[in-house]
Each structure stands twice: as C-alpha cells, then as structure tokens.
C-alpha cells in the first residue's frame, strides 16, 4: 500500500510503511546506541566519499555499520526506486526541540533522477514541503536553512493519492504541504523535488511537547534514516570539492 503525492508535473513523493524488521523496538534501540555523543553531529556512512559538508560539520564517509546494512538491503530490494542505494545518513532528534530547517538535499553527486528514501522511527513529526524560492530564498543557500520555518497558514491538503493536485502548486508561493510521519513511515522524494521544492522538519512548540507528555505521547524523539544512490564516480573522485548540504543545527 503506497500513497503517491504529485507535487508538480515533475516532482513527487511516495508514502508507505516500512517492513517490521526495520522498525522493531530493538532495531530502534540499536540505532540510538549509534548516536554520536556530540550534539549536532550527524553520522553518515556508506561508500567512502570525500568529505561531506553541511552547517559547519564535515563528516567523512566510512563503512556501513552492521546496524544500517539491513536498511540499504531493503531499499535495494525495491526495484521501482533504482536498486543502487549505497549511502545511509542518520539524523537523531532527541526531542521536539530538534529540527531541520528549510533546505533541499544536494543531488550533485547522486545518480541522475535517483529518488531519496527517508524512513521515520519513533515519535511522529511533521515533514513540511514548500515551493523552492519562497520569499526569494532559493534552495541550497545557508540562509534558507538557517531561517527555519516562518510560514503562513498550513495547507493540510490530503497526503493521499494525488491529493496535492498538479502544476499550479509551484506557482503559489503560499502553498505548503505538511505530512505527518508516524513511526515506520517511508517517504520517498522523487523527480525534481530537490530543485522545485524545499523540505524541513520544524520544531515542536514547547506547549505541544508538554501536551504530548501529558497525554502519554512521546515528546518528539525520533530517528530519521535517509538512503541515497551516489554515482560511482562521486565515490572515486578523491580530493573533489565536498558536496554541500544545508542544515540548521539541532536546537538544544
Ligand atoms: O528527518 C527528516 O525527516 C528529514 C531529514 C532530511 O531532510 C535530511 O536528512 O536531509
Ligand atoms: Fe533533507
């Protein structure tokens, strides 16, 4: 069962459930044990690339830890997404105050037209998609990432099949799509999504964290695993300029 959301003629998102062997509590616990002690650090692994820079953090690729190999194996078992996943990036959100600002993922080193798979584990957080160049902020600018979310009213248009309609969305600067990502959700970003749209995971307001705690829900603690298909040349090009990613530092 998969939902397909056509964001524009060229950009789309798929949503579906991950298999249980990747979402079991023991798996999530093992991923928390990989969390770097230093706050704001993001660990990535996969093919050995030259360094990968975002928001002042430079991380060098390393071998895939055994905890992450099943995620790659699973992604590569989905033929509709290309089957050449070779990189894993993990983001740990300690609670609802951790966030990732408005950005587009760098696709410079990826296989052409390869989609990015994103798997959510833990508490439900909102994934917000906006047209790129909103208010003059193009994707791939640190300013855009640092600003985070300052947007008008939410359009909660359905995230089910075709719910967001067609190409008109791109031309409406006020349009935005909020998608709730409960535990075990896979979100696939495809087509021209990284050039036509930005995405972010906003902070939960403190009142919402309090409310969630009071109601027994989690306060926003979550792990996100993204899987990408890097071109073999990118891996081989030692000494090439690092790929650029924009990321707001995790709030503490
Ligand atoms: O945590 C998420 O769902 C999004 C992560 C993300 O956008 C990224 O790692 O580039
Ligand atoms: Fe991203």
């Amino acid at each position: 069962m998969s939902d397909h959301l056509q964001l524009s003629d060229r950009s789309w998102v798929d949503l579906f459930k991950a298999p249980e062997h990747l979402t079991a509590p023991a798996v999530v616990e093992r991923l928390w044990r990989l969390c770097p002690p230093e706050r704001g650090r993001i660990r990535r692994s996969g093919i050995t690339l030259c360094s990968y820079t975002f928001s002042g953090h430079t991380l060098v690729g390393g071998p895939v830890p055994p905890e992450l190999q099943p995620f790659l194996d699973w992604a590569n078992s989905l033929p509709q997404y290309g089957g050449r996943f070779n990189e894993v990036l993990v983001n740990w959100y300690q609670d609802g105050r951790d966030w990732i600002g408005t950005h587009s993922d760098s696709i410079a080193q990826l296989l052409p037209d390869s989609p990015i798979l994103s798997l959510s584990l833990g508490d439900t957080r909102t994934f917000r998609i906006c047209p790129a160049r909103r208010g003059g902020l193009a994707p791939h600018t640190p300013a855009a990432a640092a600003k985070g979310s300052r947007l008008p009213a939410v359009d909660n248009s359905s995230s089910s099949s075709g719910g967001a309609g067609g190409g008109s969305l791109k031309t409406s600067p006020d349009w935005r799509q909020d998608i709730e990502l409960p535990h075990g959700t896979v979100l696939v970003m495809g087509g021209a999504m990284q050039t036509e749209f930005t995405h972010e995971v906003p902070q939960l307001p403190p009142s919402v964290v309090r409310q969630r705690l009071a109601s027994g829900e989690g306060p926003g603690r979550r792990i996100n695993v993204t899987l990408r298909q890097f071109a073999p040349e990118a891996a081989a090009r030692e000494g090439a300029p690092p790929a650029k990613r924009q990321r707001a530092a995790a709030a503490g």
Side-chain angles (χ1 to χ4, degrees), residues 91 100 103-105 127 189 194 199 226 228 245 247:
N91 298 320
I100 181 164
H103 70 284
S104 303
D105 294 357
F127 186 87
M189 296 180 271
Q194 306 303 337
H199 58 274
T226 43
R228 294 176 176 77
R245 280 169 67 87
R247 176 177 301 274

